[in-house]
Amino acid sequence: MKKFGLFIVGLIALFILLANVGPLISLAICLAILYFGFKQFMKSESTGAKIAWGSISLIVLIVAVSHIPAILGLVAAYILYLVYKKWNENDEIVSKETDPFSNFEREWKELNKN
């Protein structure tokens, strides 16, 4: 039952991620342009160049902010990662024996190995 729930959550997260692939790509492009514009703004020494790079960076920042729904895609990707990690966990159940003699036998075997 646990695996079925993980499958359903993973499937929903996958659909949300696939629905937001376009906004994620455009957000990544906007952030790359914004980074480049900021670096050029910091490098430039003339006032005209600073105004040009600052206005370009401001316009790209406004475009990047319009891609806020892409954050849902990032959250869905993170949830998908968590489902993948949880799916691959070992479900080993350690059974403790209540019989004192079997516990003694196991300890005796470990002592005799040396």
Side-chain angles (χ1 to χ4, degrees):
M1 190 67 176
K2 183 178 178 182
K3 296 274 186 180
F4 181 72
L6 284 175
F7 177 74
I8 295 298
V9 169
L11 193 63
I12 292 170
L14 179 68
F15 286 146
I16 291 172
L17 180 64
L18 289 177
N20 289 311
V21 167
L24 279 171
I25 292 171
S26 61
L27 178 66
I29 291 170
C30 287
L31 291 177
I33 294 170
L34 183 64
Y35 176 75
F36 178 73
F38 179 74
K39 293 296 265 186
Q40 292 299 324
F41 175 79
M42 296 304 283
K43 281 185 191 178
S44 62
E45 295 180 8
S46 68
T47 306
K50 282 197 180 273
I51 290 173
W53 284 113
S55 62
I56 290 171
S57 296
L58 184 64
I59 291 169
V60 173
L61 179 66
I62 291 169
V63 172
V65 168
S66 71
H67 290 94
I68 290 297
I71 293 176
L72 286 175
L74 293 175
V75 170
Y78 181 69
I79 290 173
L80 202 57
Y81 170 72
L82 290 178
V83 167
Y84 176 75
K85 273 182 40 178
K86 194 72 167 171
W87 187 280
N88 289 333
E89 267 185 4
N90 290 336
D91 294 334
E92 295 179 15
I93 299 173
V94 179
S95 62
K96 294 185 178 182
E97 298 178 22
T98 57
D99 186 21
F101 295 110
S102 62
N103 194 15
F104 174 77
E105 292 293 327
R106 184 172 21 94
E107 293 292 328
W108 185 254
K109 286 180 185 176
E110 288 180 19
L111 287 174
N112 285 335
K113 285 181 184 178
N114 298 330

